[in-house]
Amino acid sequence: MTTRPEIHLQFAPELRLFVPSERRQGRTTLLTDGTSSLGHVVESLGVPLTEAGLLTVDGVPTPRSHVPRSGESVDVHAVERPQQIPGAPLRFLLDVHLGTLARRLRLLGVDAAYFSEDIGDPALATHSAREQRVLLSRDRGLLHRRELWAGAYVYSDQPDLQLRDVLGRFAPVLAPWTRCTACNGALKEATKAEVSARLHGGTERSYDVFAQCTACERPYWRGAHHARLDAIVEEAVRDFGPAGLSRPAPRSSAG
């Protein structure tokens, strides 16, 4: 009879919300089957591999394909920040419950695809792979799907904290006021005449500076919500934009 290898596991504090409560306090022991990879072992305990960073065995960096042996001490670290995503321009796809986060990322000029209706986990994962987008979600099960190209768990349920989490983790290039918050299309400057058919009378009389989405043709101007949106932009640029980033005069904010 083959003895099952016993290993000693410890998870980074950031990852402990994923594992059973008895494994959240320091190092614990685990009997493995002797054939599963270290990556499989970590995932079987509830940690999406999108959230697992460096794995060390007895203090030595070790690939996820390693099959643990009896007596080994394994440390599972969180992903390093800022996280580098190789192979494609940094683009995001957001789960259905992250609509506010999607709009705020777009406000900052970050490419953020979003479906307002629930298209289902398989379709989201496939879309992530087809367009090479990082899938952002608070659904742990979704982040376990093998089809994913890349993914990340959004740790907070508060939009302000969600935005800071994503910007801090991925450090996307910020280009405020350049994307449509409704459809993710690019904005262009527009004259009042070009957008007049889409304006209500009061707006047309009160504003002179406009922008328009090149995809859905939605008009933008410095409306009643401009101060609130500008505060979001200013904080993001201050805390996460590169030094010296100069924000262009806002051609528009969502009206």
Side-chain angles (χ1 to χ4, degrees):
M1 180 177 179
T2 303
T3 303
R4 296 172 61 190
E6 181 181 83
I7 64 174
H8 310 282
L9 275 168
Q10 181 167 263
F11 293 90
E14 302 94 319
L15 303 179
R16 291 176 185 170
L17 79 160
F18 297 111
V19 300
S21 58
E22 64 270 17
R23 297 193 182 277
R24 295 177 183 174
Q25 301 298 322
R27 197 172 300 278
T28 61
T29 59
L30 175 72
L31 292 176
T32 69
D33 59 15
T35 60
S36 295
S37 69
L38 185 54
H40 178 79
V41 170
V42 169
E43 195 170 34
S44 70
L45 292 174
V47 179
L49 291 181
T50 61
E51 305 311 296
L54 178 69
L55 304 179
T56 62
V57 174
D58 297 332
V60 178
T62 303
R64 294 176 178 179
S65 58
H66 171 73
V67 177
R69 295 185 290 268
S70 189
E72 291 181 335
S73 290
V74 176
D75 285 273
V76 184
H77 300 262
V79 292
E80 185 176 347
R81 296 184 175 220
Q83 182 179 357
Q84 301 300 312
I85 302 294
L90 182 59
R91 302 185 297 174
F92 296 100
L93 170 64
L94 285 81
D95 201 355
V96 67
H97 302 297
L98 297 176
T100 299
L101 177 59
R103 290 188 292 273
R104 292 190 180 189
L105 287 171
R106 293 169 177 176
L107 177 66
L108 296 170
V110 178
D111 190 338
Y114 171 75
F115 297 98
S116 58
E117 296 182 355
D118 189 353
I119 64 173
D121 289 1
L124 274 174
T126 299
H127 192 84
S128 164
R130 183 172 61 248
E131 295 197 356
Q132 294 190 323
R133 290 179 178 272
V134 180
L135 178 60
L136 303 178
S137 179
R138 285 183 49 77
D139 181 343
R140 304 176 191 184
L142 176 54
L143 295 175
H144 283 281
R145 298 194 69 91
R146 292 287 180 256
E147 311 97 296
L148 278 184
W149 179 72
Y153 183 73
V154 177
Y155 286 79
S156 175
D157 59 1
Q158 301 298 314
D160 290 345
L161 297 179
Q162 289 174 348
L163 183 62
R164 295 187 65 85
D165 182 20
V166 173
L167 297 182
R169 177 166 176 172
F170 294 101
V173 175
L174 305 184
W177 316 105
T178 61
R179 283 190 181 274
C180 175
T181 56
C183 82
N184 200 41
L187 296 183
K188 67 176 182 67
E189 293 181 357
T191 65
K192 183 181 291 190
E194 289 174 320
V195 298
S196 61
R198 294 176 172 268
L199 301 177
H200 299 296
T203 300
E204 188 170 6
R205 290 191 301 271
S206 303
Y207 300 96
D208 296 306
V209 179
F210 295 92
Q212 187 172 30
C213 177
T214 58
C216 71
E217 299 186 341
R218 177 177 174 169
Y220 285 80
W221 61 94
R222 295 193 211 186
H225 302 299
H226 177 75
R228 178 176 58 84
L229 298 177
D230 197 47
I232 293 172
V233 169
E234 292 291 349
E235 179 178 335
V237 169
R238 182 191 70 224
D239 294 346
F240 300 101
L245 174 65
S246 59
R247 181 175 67 105
R251 294 173 292 189
S252 67
S253 65

